[in-house]
Amino acid sequence: TTVHISGAGSCTITASQAGDSNRNPAADVPQSFSILTPAVLSASGWRVLYVDSQATGCGNYAATNAFDGNSGTMWLTEWCSGSPPPPHEIQIDLGASYTISGFQYLPRQDGSNGNVANYEFYVSTDGVNWGAAVASGTLMTSTSDVTQKQVTFTGVVGRYVRFRAMSEVHGGPWTAVAELNVLGTTVASSGPEIASVTMNPASIAAGGTTSTATVTLTNAPSSNATVTLASSNTNAATVPATDVVNAGPLLLRAHLRA
């Protein structure tokens, strides 16, 4: 038996069987599950890495409109002083790494010129090497359709996304994007993090002396991990601004005053 998932929410499916020859009913077997809606990433901190065409000389059609949260604005490729043909593309730096599992495309809301028919979508860790598209296909076929489209795929870790419009719904040379949302989840940090700081001795007598601090890191490399140090009260203790961990915990001397 195939269960067709049609939307987000919670559901319980129960399998039942008629009784046996002695009219003893079989036990029901329920199975509960939830279908989660992929999270839309915040566009705060995003920046345009590259765009091949934007009609900024024709009006407010900059590439940044594609992720400004306003469905009334759009990224639109050049049209008033020439119309370069597709494919057109926008590359976006998300500002951090995510496990990216899809995107949403909102076509322009005031017409249909530029709305995307065929597309390709890429994810990259460095914004240079893109590899094969993680998704491709057709977004729109109707010129009267202004509804948001969503595409999902198996999660891929990356910081940069690339949306390519391969063709336009009319067969024209333009591309229009009212909003481009990215679906995903935050990637846990795997870099060095400070786990603890201990002082020996932890207290000193009046007059000032030197104490040794041990900084313990998690996920630390064997060498060359730079640690930034700061004292909340420089009248009580001074520390170097930075130091470098070379295998093992970082030992430094902090000058304490009492």
Side-chain angles (χ1 to χ4, degrees):
T1 298
T2 301
V3 177
H4 295 280
I5 306 301
S6 58
S10 298
C11 179
T12 299
I13 295 176
T14 302
S16 300
Q17 185 179 11
D20 58 19
S21 58
N22 295 319
R23 299 184 179 181
N24 296 315
D28 291 346
V29 181
Q31 178 64 56
S32 300
F33 58 93
S34 296
I35 306 101
L36 303 178
T37 302
V40 176
L41 300 179
S42 169
S44 176
W46 290 13
R47 69 180 182 91
V48 174
L49 183 67
Y50 169 78
V51 65
D52 76 297
S53 176
Q54 52 185 341
T56 52
C58 312
N60 179 27
Y61 302 118
T64 51
N65 290 342
F67 52 86
D68 65 354
N70 183 355
S71 62
T73 64
M74 63 178 140
W75 163 45
L76 182 60
T77 56
E78 296 169 273
W79 56 271
C80 63
S81 58
S83 300
H88 295 298
E89 70 175 84
I90 183 172
Q91 300 174 14
I92 303 172
D93 176 3
L94 305 181
S97 291
Y98 298 90
T99 299
I100 298 168
S101 56
F103 71 93
Q104 295 171 338
Y105 167 75
L106 183 69
R108 66 185 297 174
Q109 300 295 288
D110 64 349
S112 57
N113 284 348
N115 286 345
V116 178
N118 296 320
Y119 76 93
E120 294 177 349
F121 193 84
Y122 299 78
V123 176
S124 171
T125 58
D126 59 7
V128 176
N129 300 293
W130 294 98
V134 295
S136 62
T138 301
L139 285 174
M140 305 186 67
T141 58
S142 171
T143 58
S144 61
D145 187 0
V146 295
T147 60
Q148 179 174 268
K149 309 304 176 189
Q150 178 168 298
V151 175
T152 57
F153 45 82
T154 301
V156 180
V157 174
R159 170 172 170 160
Y160 304 88
V161 296
R162 178 190 186 194
F163 177 74
R164 299 188 78 206
M166 308 304 293
S167 63
E168 191 253 8
V169 71
H170 292 278
W174 318 282
T175 290
V177 178
E179 287 297 307
L180 185 67
N181 299 317
V182 177
L183 310 178
T185 55
T186 303
V187 175
S189 173
S190 59
E193 298 177 359
I194 296 177
S196 64
V197 179
T198 58
M199 302 294 295
N200 184 26
S203 60
I204 61 170
T209 186
T210 298
S211 179
T212 299
T214 301
V215 180
T216 302
L217 303 181
T218 59
N219 303 321
S222 59
S223 63
N224 299 325
T226 300
V227 177
T228 300
L229 304 164
S231 170
S232 63
N233 184 354
T234 55
N235 291 323
T238 57
V239 294
T242 61
D243 212 327
V244 176
V245 174
N246 291 309
L250 168 64
L251 299 179
L252 61 95
R253 292 196 175 275
H255 189 72
L256 307 180
R257 301 182 182 90

